[in-house]
Amino acid sequence: MKSITDRLIADLEKIHVSLLAPWQKLDAIRTFIQPGLTYALRSCPVSRESLKEYRSKLVGILKSICHLPKRASNSYLFADKSVGGLGFQDPFDERHVQTIVHTVKIISASDPLIVNISRDQLTSVVKRCVKSKDIPSSKVIDGFLSGSQDGSLANHQNSSITLWSRCRISCRALNVLIHDAMGKISISMNESTTDGDKKVASFLHRHMKLKHASILKSLKDQGKVARCLESCRLISTNNWSFDGTGLRFCDWRFIHRARTNTLPTNDVKSRWSDASPVCRRCHSLNVNETLPHIICHCKPNMTAITARHNRILNRLTNAIHLGEVTIDQVVPGAPGLNRPDIVVRSGNKVIIIDVTCPFKNDDSSLEMAAQRKVNKYDYLIDHFQQHNQDAKVFGFVVGSLGAWFNGNENVLNELQINSRYRTLFRKLCCADAIRVSRNIYVQHLTGVPQ
């Protein structure tokens, strides 16, 4: 195993120093390095110690590619992309996953000879464990493989390493339960179950990514964006980290650190030094220089913050091919100081849309931002009803760090934007928000307009 990990480490370093784009490097690691480790782990028993060097190198290279500091949580690398993670496989988890997969496959193989031999061996090992001459019941065998310590199963000693004992260790480590090992096998984890041997690997991989996602979300500081992104059902809006759609290299260097709150703002630096946490531009003793303040609230940056809003607005406006469109204009005859971003009139139907790019502080921040926009212009519905027109008000929300609000789909439905273009449209809107937020941050630090 040492020679295999040495070769994988050498390949990792070659990818790291290559001239590939950063997202291409991540794709190369997923495509060529991870399958090599998976095959090795399924083919022979591997200790945790033998994987330490490889995992350390993998984590270091992934953080280097994403320009993350050492203190960034490793869970960001291994978490599911639904929370903004990179979705890599943790070698320590993969060691247990492949042991369980190999066990399930060998006792549910299509060849009857292999099945009979493997189940006879398993039965023999369980008999020795429970110290009984009788054939153990299916329940006892399931408990043995699942790592149970109940009753006589606590007698098992790990000194005699077999595939079955390794499966027992792995199931206990991952909290996996195996059911009906001597019949139609199924496994369960975290109150969900899958049947058969073909889905076991994907089932366990998904749960490992969700485990790291849960760890990432639990972090008070680095988990803010992850908690917000979880509410977005359309994880395709995070695909820029897989294909680089709409991103510049400088945006790539910014966004991963921004999402983990590891950018060197005054507020962050003050935690480990005597530096003042106060904003360098506002000169206000009451305002700390946090990332949300810089890219969403700092008054000297308001021109650039407005430019981000306008970029999203222009992207949405260019996608509208329906009725008469007015942009950033007062509704004639309507009361109040109204000036919605977009008003679309088509027959007796009116669609009112207001764009906003809030910072993602929690799982409800996007929904709250949309509701504020609806509340702001809700009274226009009555105004248009007086003219026999059916009006609807929507908030169109794209997070300042590239999150997509699920309610935006209602806007796209009303505007009759075809589904073929929507996937690209979402990616471009998220990339636009990231691009301008990066420009705001750099301008804030350097004082040079971007």
Side-chain angles (χ1 to χ4, degrees):
M1 184 64 192
K2 175 66 174 173
S3 61
I4 295 175
T5 54
D6 287 344
R7 289 200 298 270
L8 293 176
I9 289 173
D11 291 340
L12 278 174
E13 291 173 342
K14 290 176 183 177
I15 292 173
H16 186 215
V17 300
S18 70
L19 298 180
L20 295 171
W23 47 87
Q24 292 174 328
K25 292 180 181 180
L26 298 186
D27 185 59
I29 294 172
R30 289 189 190 95
T31 305
F32 301 109
I33 306 299
Q34 287 192 156
L37 178 67
T38 296
Y39 176 79
L41 292 174
R42 194 177 293 185
S43 302
C44 60
V46 180
S47 67
R48 183 183 177 91
E49 290 296 322
S50 64
L51 285 176
K52 274 188 175 180
E53 184 181 359
Y54 167 76
R55 186 181 188 272
S56 177
K57 176 63 70 172
L58 175 67
V59 168
I61 286 178
L62 291 178
K63 286 185 176 180
S64 176
I65 292 172
C66 296
H67 291 264
L68 287 167
K70 290 183 178 179
R71 69 181 184 87
S73 172
N74 291 344
S75 291
Y76 181 78
L77 310 176
F78 304 124
D80 190 71
K81 67 178 182 178
S82 63
V83 297
L86 300 183
F88 281 89
Q89 298 164 8
D90 187 338
F92 288 164
D93 292 337
E94 186 68 1
R95 164 175 164 255
H96 294 306
V97 166
Q98 293 307 323
T99 298
I100 297 172
V101 170
H102 186 50
T103 301
V104 170
K105 285 184 176 295
I106 202 170
I107 59 179
S108 58
S110 58
D111 189 333
L113 179 61
I114 294 176
V115 172
N116 291 334
I117 293 175
S118 61
R119 290 183 176 178
D120 286 345
Q121 290 180 349
L122 173 58
T123 302
S124 176
V125 169
V126 177
K127 284 172 64 177
R128 290 200 302 271
C129 171
V130 299
K131 298 180 179 180
S132 171
K133 296 181 179 179
D134 299 328
I135 297 176
S137 66
S138 178
K139 182 179 180 181
V140 173
I141 293 174
D142 292 347
F144 174 85
L145 288 178
S146 301
S148 173
Q149 295 287 342
D150 296 339
S152 56
L153 291 176
N155 299 329
H156 184 258
Q157 301 295 324
N158 293 332
S159 56
S160 176
I161 298 297
T162 64
L163 172 63
W164 321 113
S165 60
R166 287 192 289 116
C167 177
R168 174 179 171 82
I169 294 170
S170 295
C171 284
R172 188 160 62 244
L174 301 186
N175 197 25
V176 171
L177 299 178
I178 295 181
H179 309 285
D180 198 14
M182 306 303 281
K184 189 177 180 180
I185 194 167
S186 65
I187 65 170
S188 62
M189 183 180 184
N190 297 336
E191 300 182 354
S192 59
T193 303
T194 186
D195 297 324
D197 61 320
K198 297 185 183 301
K199 300 178 182 178
V200 172
S202 59
F203 175 82
L204 293 176
H205 282 151
R206 184 173 70 256
H207 278 280
M208 291 303 99
K209 292 177 183 178
L210 293 177
K211 180 191 77 171
H212 286 287
S214 179
I215 295 172
L216 181 61
K217 290 185 295 180
S218 69
L219 301 178
K220 182 179 179 181
D221 190 36
Q222 297 189 30
K224 288 180 180 178
V225 175
R227 290 191 290 273
C228 178
L229 290 173
E230 186 186 30
S231 63
C232 178
R233 297 189 303 270
L234 298 165
I235 57 178
S236 63
T237 56
N238 194 45
N239 276 354
W240 52 261
S241 64
F242 294 80
D243 57 21
T245 300
L247 285 190
R248 305 168 296 180
F249 287 165
C250 58
D251 300 332
W252 177 272
R253 292 190 292 269
F254 164 81
I255 186 57
H256 295 287
R257 300 190 74 174
R259 285 190 165 187
T260 54
N261 198 29
T262 52
L263 287 167
T265 63
N266 282 349
D267 183 72
V268 171
K269 291 190 292 184
S270 67
R271 303 174 193 175
W272 295 279
S273 68
D274 295 330
S276 171
V278 174
C279 176
R280 71 192 76 190
R281 300 295 174 194
C282 288
H283 305 293
S284 171
L285 298 177
N286 298 322
V287 180
N288 286 359
E289 190 184 74
T290 62
L291 185 61
H293 171 74
I294 292 173
I295 64 177
C296 289
H297 308 296
C298 188
K299 290 184 178 179
N301 298 335
M302 278 302 165
T303 301
I305 292 170
T306 302
R308 179 180 59 208
H309 167 277
N310 292 342
R311 193 179 181 97
I312 302 296
L313 174 60
N314 292 336
R315 179 78 66 184
L316 178 59
T317 303
N318 292 336
I320 300 174
H321 300 284
L322 175 71
E324 177 188 349
V325 181
T326 57
I327 302 170
D328 194 24
Q329 294 182 17
V330 175
V331 177
L337 298 174
N338 69 85
R339 195 165 179 170
D341 287 329
I342 300 174
V343 176
V344 181
R345 293 180 175 88
S346 179
N348 67 336
K349 183 178 179 181
V350 180
I351 305 169
I352 304 165
I353 307 168
D354 214 49
V355 176
T356 183
C357 299
F359 192 86
K360 306 175 286 293
N361 272 319
D362 54 53
D363 55 358
S364 62
S365 59
L366 300 184
E367 184 176 357
M368 291 172 61
Q371 190 58 48
R372 284 195 296 269
K373 292 298 183 181
V374 171
N375 295 341
K376 181 179 180 180
Y377 292 113
D378 198 40
Y379 71 94
L380 291 177
I381 295 177
D382 294 333
H383 167 74
F384 283 107
Q385 282 181 344
Q386 293 174 5
H387 295 80
N388 297 320
Q389 292 179 306
D390 181 22
K392 295 182 180 179
V393 180
F394 299 95
F396 189 82
V397 186
V398 179
S400 55
L401 295 181
W404 180 264
F405 175 52
N406 292 325
N408 292 347
E409 296 303 302
N410 296 329
V411 178
L412 302 185
N413 290 336
E414 291 290 336
L415 297 177
Q416 299 178 18
I417 296 177
N418 67 74
S419 57
R420 191 172 186 179
Y421 177 62
R422 284 192 191 188
T423 300
L424 177 60
F425 176 77
R426 298 184 196 109
K427 291 181 182 180
L428 293 176
C429 284
C430 294
D432 284 343
I434 293 169
R435 174 187 289 251
V436 185
S437 292
R438 178 265 172 194
N439 290 348
I440 295 171
Y441 172 77
V442 174
Q443 177 178 316
H444 182 89
L445 264 61
T446 63
V448 179
Q450 299 294 303

